[in-house]
């Protein structure tokens, strides 16, 4: 089991461009959550996908959108990139376990907007 | 409001020393509490997970405690090593529908030789 995987590991874009980040959940997990983590800060919740639908959303603008595929993998899309979008983007997957849901994180995608 | 607070914000200790990190939460209804270790620029890695009925759980040199009555948890690191330098994040899960993980701000630990 490869755990949660994310691609790419690093990405450099310029302002106004669009970006797509990808995540494959841990085997057996059905829920994918995306987080933005600025340098020196804790992760901020963007949104969560379950059964191919956005189940809940944090305080992020509509420029941030996502998708979940039938195999539970997910994409995060960010349009009209701003300098402030530079951050580590973390994907976490979770699945039902005894004692409550566990959440496992991927290694993250480092996005730099110039 | 569901919140998780951690203290101290940062900590510097010498290699070989012990330390304790604190986590207070107001998340309800409580499901479980997990401590993560996050190296700079990397994804968080789970250290321990504790449910309501568990008071103590160990993972090598890491020992977590949970007091569900006072809604407090601690992470004790024994015989620290240079590789323990990282951010330690407390995450509390609530038993409800949707996004149910509340993150603390983390404690930045630096272990010096």
């Amino acid at each position: 089991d490869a755990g949660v995987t994310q691609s790419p590991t690093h990405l450099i874009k310029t302002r106004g461009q669009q970006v797509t980040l990808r995540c494959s959940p841990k085997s057996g997990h059905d829920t994918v959550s995306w987080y933005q983590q600025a340098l020196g800060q804790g992760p901020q919740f963007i949104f969560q996908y379950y059964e191919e639908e956005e189940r809940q959303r944090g305080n992020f603008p509509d420029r941030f959108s996502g998708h979940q595929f039938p195999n539970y993998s997910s994409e995060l899309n960010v349009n009209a990139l701003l300098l402030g979008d530079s951050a580590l983007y973390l994907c976490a997957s979770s699945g039902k376990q005894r004692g409550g849901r566990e959440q496992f994180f991927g290694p993250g995608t480092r996005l730099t907007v110039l | 409001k569901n919140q998780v607070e951690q203290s101290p914000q940062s900590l510097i200790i010498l290699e070989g020393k012990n330390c304790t990190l604190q986590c207070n939460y107001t998340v309800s209804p409580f499901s479980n509490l997990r401590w993560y270790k996050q190296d700079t620029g990397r994804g968080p890695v789970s250290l321990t997970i504790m449910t309501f009925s568990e008071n103590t759980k160990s993972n090598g040199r890491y020992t977590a405690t949970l007091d569900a009555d006072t809604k407090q948890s601690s992470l004790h690191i024994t015989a620290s090593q240079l590789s323990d330098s990282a951010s330690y994040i407390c995450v509390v899960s609530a038993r409800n529908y949707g996004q149910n993980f509340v993150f603390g701000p983390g404690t930045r630990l630096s272990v010096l030789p």
Side-chain angles (χ1 to χ4, degrees), chain B residues 55-100:
Chain B
N55 301 121
T56 303
K57 183 166 283 189
S58 293
N59 177 6
R61 295 180 296 103
Y62 301 102
T63 300
T65 65
L66 175 65
D67 186 334
D69 292 331
T70 61
K71 298 186 178 180
Q72 296 180 326
S73 175
S74 66
L75 180 69
H76 186 74
I77 304 175
T78 305
S80 61
Q81 301 176 358
L82 298 179
S83 59
D84 292 333
S85 295
S87 288
Y88 292 82
I89 304 173
C90 175
V91 182
V92 182
S93 173
R95 279 185 290 107
N96 54 19
Y97 179 78
Q99 200 287 120
N100 54 9

Side-chain angles (χ1 to χ4, degrees), chain B residues 48-61:
Chain B
T48 65
I49 181 171
M50 303 181 72
T51 59
F52 185 87
S53 60
E54 296 174 302
N55 301 121
T56 303
K57 183 166 283 189
S58 293
N59 177 6
R61 295 180 296 103

Side-chain angles (χ1 to χ4, degrees), chain A residues 37 45 55-56 102-103, chain B residues 34 36 38 97-99 103:
Chain A
Q37 187 175 26
F45 174 70
R55 183 157 74 172
Q56 198 151 352
E102 300 184 65
Q103 185 166 235
Chain B
R34 186 184 289 269
Y36 288 91
Q38 186 177 25
Y97 179 78
Q99 200 287 120
F103 284 74

Side-chain angles (χ1 to χ4, degrees), chain B residues 8-47:
Chain B
Q9 184 177 20
S10 62
L11 185 61
I12 300 174
I13 62 173
L14 295 177
E15 186 179 13
K17 297 297 185 182
N18 304 334
C19 67
T20 300
L21 314 180
Q22 300 290 343
C23 173
N24 298 330
Y25 63 92
T26 58
V27 177
S28 181
F30 176 85
S31 177
N32 58 59
L33 184 149
R34 186 184 289 269
W35 283 93
Y36 288 91
K37 176 187 178 185
Q38 186 177 25
D39 294 315
T40 301
R42 307 293 296 275
V45 175
S46 176
L47 296 175

